[in-house]
mmCIF file of all heavy atoms in Angstrom:
data_model
loop_
_atom_site.group_PDB
_atom_site.id
_atom_site.type_symbol
_atom_site.label_atom_id
_atom_site.label_comp_id
_atom_site.label_asym_id
_atom_site.label_seq_id
_atom_site.Cartn_x
_atom_site.Cartn_y
_atom_site.Cartn_z
ATOM 1 N N ASN A 37 92.277 33.091 77.721
ATOM 2 C CA ASN A 37 93.104 33.883 76.963
ATOM 3 C C ASN A 37 92.324 34.565 75.759
ATOM 4 O O ASN A 37 93.103 35.426 75.067
ATOM 5 C CB ASN A 37 94.139 32.937 76.331
ATOM 6 C CG ASN A 37 94.977 32.311 77.509
ATOM 7 O OD1 ASN A 37 95.130 32.850 78.493
ATOM 8 N ND2 ASN A 37 95.648 31.169 77.090
ATOM 9 N N ARG A 44 86.515 41.832 79.214
ATOM 10 C CA ARG A 44 86.953 42.915 79.983
ATOM 11 C C ARG A 44 86.882 44.139 79.254
ATOM 12 O O ARG A 44 86.554 45.260 79.859
ATOM 13 C CB ARG A 44 88.425 42.593 80.390
ATOM 14 C CG ARG A 44 89.079 43.652 81.273
ATOM 15 C CD ARG A 44 90.477 43.218 81.722
ATOM 16 N NE ARG A 44 91.290 42.831 80.430
ATOM 17 C CZ ARG A 44 92.519 42.137 80.566
ATOM 18 N NH1 ARG A 44 92.909 41.730 81.723
ATOM 19 N NH2 ARG A 44 93.088 41.899 79.501
ATOM 20 N N PRO A 67 73.747 20.216 69.663
ATOM 21 C CA PRO A 67 73.854 19.992 68.195
ATOM 22 C C PRO A 67 74.766 21.207 67.558
ATOM 23 O O PRO A 67 75.116 22.135 68.136
ATOM 24 C CB PRO A 67 72.469 20.139 67.749
ATOM 25 C CG PRO A 67 71.755 21.085 68.728
ATOM 26 C CD PRO A 67 72.416 20.618 70.040
ATOM 27 N N PHE A 94 52.535 21.678 61.239
ATOM 28 C CA PHE A 94 51.164 22.431 61.591
ATOM 29 C C PHE A 94 50.212 21.370 62.107
ATOM 30 O O PHE A 94 48.970 21.399 61.946
ATOM 31 C CB PHE A 94 50.600 22.949 60.335
ATOM 32 C CG PHE A 94 51.552 24.149 59.830
ATOM 33 C CD1 PHE A 94 52.385 23.932 58.764
ATOM 34 C CD2 PHE A 94 51.326 25.438 60.270
ATOM 35 C CE1 PHE A 94 53.249 24.892 58.428
ATOM 36 C CE2 PHE A 94 52.152 26.396 59.894
ATOM 37 C CZ PHE A 94 53.063 26.185 58.880
ATOM 38 N N VAL A 120 49.638 47.369 74.714
ATOM 39 C CA VAL A 120 50.758 46.971 73.674
ATOM 40 C C VAL A 120 50.521 47.281 72.319
ATOM 41 O O VAL A 120 51.344 47.910 71.686
ATOM 42 C CB VAL A 120 50.967 45.386 73.866
ATOM 43 C CG1 VAL A 120 51.887 44.955 72.727
ATOM 44 C CG2 VAL A 120 51.527 45.014 75.161
ATOM 45 N N VAL A 130 48.824 38.368 67.316
ATOM 46 C CA VAL A 130 50.116 38.119 66.902
ATOM 47 C C VAL A 130 51.089 37.925 68.088
ATOM 48 O O VAL A 130 51.866 37.014 68.129
ATOM 49 C CB VAL A 130 50.685 39.190 65.918
ATOM 50 C CG1 VAL A 130 52.036 39.073 65.590
ATOM 51 C CG2 VAL A 130 49.886 39.264 64.622
ATOM 52 N N LEU A 132 50.311 37.254 71.115
ATOM 53 C CA LEU A 132 49.942 35.900 71.883
ATOM 54 C C LEU A 132 50.377 34.601 71.114
ATOM 55 O O LEU A 132 50.849 33.744 71.772
ATOM 56 C CB LEU A 132 48.314 35.909 72.004
ATOM 57 C CG LEU A 132 47.743 36.975 72.915
ATOM 58 C CD1 LEU A 132 46.148 36.950 72.696
ATOM 59 C CD2 LEU A 132 48.007 36.497 74.377
ATOM 60 N N TRP A 135 54.210 34.345 71.847
ATOM 61 C CA TRP A 135 54.288 33.775 73.310
ATOM 62 C C TRP A 135 53.997 32.402 73.470
ATOM 63 O O TRP A 135 54.557 31.621 74.068
ATOM 64 C CB TRP A 135 53.325 34.602 74.170
ATOM 65 C CG TRP A 135 53.426 34.516 75.570
ATOM 66 C CD1 TRP A 135 54.387 34.098 76.311
ATOM 67 C CD2 TRP A 135 52.442 34.888 76.596
ATOM 68 N NE1 TRP A 135 54.177 33.954 77.687
ATOM 69 C CE2 TRP A 135 52.957 34.507 77.914
ATOM 70 C CE3 TRP A 135 51.068 35.318 76.432
ATOM 71 C CZ2 TRP A 135 52.263 34.531 79.006
ATOM 72 C CZ3 TRP A 135 50.412 35.420 77.654
ATOM 73 C CH2 TRP A 135 50.829 35.111 78.859
ATOM 74 N N GLY A 142 54.729 30.797 78.771
ATOM 75 C CA GLY A 142 55.605 30.851 79.929
ATOM 76 C C GLY A 142 55.692 29.447 80.723
ATOM 77 O O GLY A 142 56.290 29.459 81.654
ATOM 78 N N VAL A 153 75.529 26.580 77.541
ATOM 79 C CA VAL A 153 75.184 26.483 76.199
ATOM 80 C C VAL A 153 75.932 27.550 75.303
ATOM 81 O O VAL A 153 76.434 27.193 74.360
ATOM 82 C CB VAL A 153 73.645 26.702 76.065
ATOM 83 C CG1 VAL A 153 73.222 26.895 74.580
ATOM 84 C CG2 VAL A 153 72.842 25.568 76.726
ATOM 85 N N MET A 213 57.058 47.007 80.758
ATOM 86 C CA MET A 213 55.701 47.358 80.442
ATOM 87 C C MET A 213 54.786 47.432 81.687
ATOM 88 O O MET A 213 53.680 48.021 81.630
ATOM 89 C CB MET A 213 55.169 46.282 79.522
ATOM 90 C CG MET A 213 53.996 46.696 78.644
ATOM 91 S SD MET A 213 54.335 47.771 77.340
ATOM 92 C CE MET A 213 52.597 48.380 76.938
ATOM 93 N N ALA A 219 63.001 45.448 83.135
ATOM 94 C CA ALA A 219 62.340 44.553 82.013
ATOM 95 C C ALA A 219 62.624 43.076 82.391
ATOM 96 O O ALA A 219 63.711 42.600 82.510
ATOM 97 C CB ALA A 219 62.983 44.738 80.651
ATOM 98 N N GLN A 242 54.876 46.768 59.971
ATOM 99 C CA GLN A 242 54.113 47.927 59.523
ATOM 100 C C GLN A 242 52.728 47.868 60.052
ATOM 101 O O GLN A 242 51.862 46.952 59.847
ATOM 102 C CB GLN A 242 54.078 47.604 57.858
ATOM 103 C CG GLN A 242 55.301 47.787 57.204
ATOM 104 C CD GLN A 242 55.291 47.604 55.771
ATOM 105 O OE1 GLN A 242 54.234 47.806 55.137
ATOM 106 N NE2 GLN A 242 56.444 47.686 54.943
ATOM 107 N N LEU A 328 54.732 31.515 59.228
ATOM 108 C CA LEU A 328 53.431 31.059 58.740
ATOM 109 C C LEU A 328 52.589 30.481 59.912
ATOM 110 O O LEU A 328 51.346 30.777 60.039
ATOM 111 C CB LEU A 328 53.592 29.968 57.655
ATOM 112 C CG LEU A 328 52.219 29.500 56.982
ATOM 113 C CD1 LEU A 328 51.389 30.444 56.403
ATOM 114 C CD2 LEU A 328 52.579 28.451 55.931
ATOM 115 N N ILE A 330 52.937 31.391 62.998
ATOM 116 C CA ILE A 330 52.475 32.559 63.854
ATOM 117 C C ILE A 330 51.253 33.281 63.157
ATOM 118 O O ILE A 330 50.287 33.618 63.836
ATOM 119 C CB ILE A 330 53.623 33.455 64.170
ATOM 120 C CG1 ILE A 330 54.725 32.811 64.924
ATOM 121 C CG2 ILE A 330 53.224 34.686 64.846
ATOM 122 C CD1 ILE A 330 54.288 32.211 66.196
ATOM 123 N N TRP A 348 48.527 19.796 52.901
ATOM 124 C CA TRP A 348 50.033 19.546 52.739
ATOM 125 C C TRP A 348 50.075 18.170 52.290
ATOM 126 O O TRP A 348 49.697 17.147 52.884
ATOM 127 C CB TRP A 348 50.573 19.595 54.201
ATOM 128 C CG TRP A 348 50.437 20.996 54.789
ATOM 129 C CD1 TRP A 348 49.562 21.475 55.693
ATOM 130 C CD2 TRP A 348 51.373 22.089 54.546
ATOM 131 N NE1 TRP A 348 49.739 22.725 56.124
ATOM 132 C CE2 TRP A 348 50.838 23.211 55.438
ATOM 133 C CE3 TRP A 348 52.345 22.305 53.752
ATOM 134 C CZ2 TRP A 348 51.470 24.460 55.418
ATOM 135 C CZ3 TRP A 348 53.005 23.528 53.724
ATOM 136 C CH2 TRP A 348 52.506 24.547 54.610
ATOM 137 N N LYS A 394 63.164 23.885 32.936
ATOM 138 C CA LYS A 394 64.180 23.876 31.900
ATOM 139 C C LYS A 394 64.429 22.533 31.350
ATOM 140 O O LYS A 394 64.714 22.236 30.269
ATOM 141 C CB LYS A 394 65.461 24.515 32.465
ATOM 142 C CG LYS A 394 66.515 24.636 31.481
ATOM 143 C CD LYS A 394 67.915 25.279 32.013
ATOM 144 C CE LYS A 394 69.030 25.394 31.041
ATOM 145 N NZ LYS A 394 70.101 25.980 31.611
ATOM 146 N N GLY A 406 63.800 11.668 43.697
ATOM 147 C CA GLY A 406 64.072 11.468 42.285
ATOM 148 C C GLY A 406 64.959 12.779 41.915
ATOM 149 O O GLY A 406 65.807 12.568 41.075
#
Side-chain angles (χ1 to χ4, degrees):
N37 298 339
R44 179 177 56 196
F94 298 93
V120 167
V130 171
L132 288 167
W135 184 28
V153 171
M213 199 73 194
Q242 296 182 10
L328 184 57
I330 297 303
W348 299 98
K394 184 178 179 180

